[in-house]
Amino acid sequence: MPKRSCPFGDAAPLQLKVRVGPRELGRGVFAEHYAREVFDLPRAPIACSSCVRSVDGKAVCSQCERALCGQCIYTCWGCGAVACMLCGLADYTDVCEKTLCNSCAIFEA
């Protein structure tokens, strides 16, 4: 049986078979995902937004939602929310230090 003729004519682009192997996948768009999946590379630790230490827990600032380490967590005296150094306001007027989040600091002023 002879080969059938091309129904598209001479204007059709060439159709080539392409072999996609590990080398091509490792250089493509999903290179990092593929490398992590195949080679089980460890993920980079998340850094604290205030002091750039590695984050030991999953604490985030309730105001700006940045990751915080255990030493940079400030608890709001008014509502108990977690705040970072940038979003917390320290009040030194009393004997003890009170930290307020931005939401509570508006009502205290």
Side-chain angles (χ1 to χ4, degrees):
M1 178 178 270
K3 285 181 148 182
R4 64 179 185 199
S5 62
C6 180
F8 304 111
D10 293 335
L14 292 175
Q15 296 179 358
L16 301 174
K17 291 184 179 179
V18 178
R19 180 183 173 272
V20 179
R23 180 180 292 168
E24 288 82 10
L25 286 174
R27 294 180 184 163
V29 176
F30 296 107
E32 182 180 343
H33 173 72
Y34 179 74
R36 193 178 317 123
E37 184 180 296
V38 172
F39 301 110
D40 196 24
L41 296 175
R43 294 182 180 175
I46 300 172
C48 176
S49 63
S50 297
C51 66
V52 195
R53 290 187 193 103
S54 64
V55 175
D56 49 358
K58 295 189 182 223
V60 293
C61 178
S62 62
Q63 306 292 312
C64 64
E65 298 181 358
R66 293 180 181 161
L68 297 171
C69 70
Q71 295 178 353
C72 295
I73 294 175
Y74 295 98
T75 306
C76 177
W77 185 75
C79 65
V82 175
C84 66
M85 289 188 333
L86 300 173
C87 298
L89 178 68
D91 185 13
Y92 297 105
T93 56
D94 294 337
V95 177
C96 62
E97 176 187 344
K98 292 192 295 187
T99 304
L100 298 171
C101 65
N102 287 339
S103 301
C104 294
I106 293 171
F107 297 116
E108 287 288 322

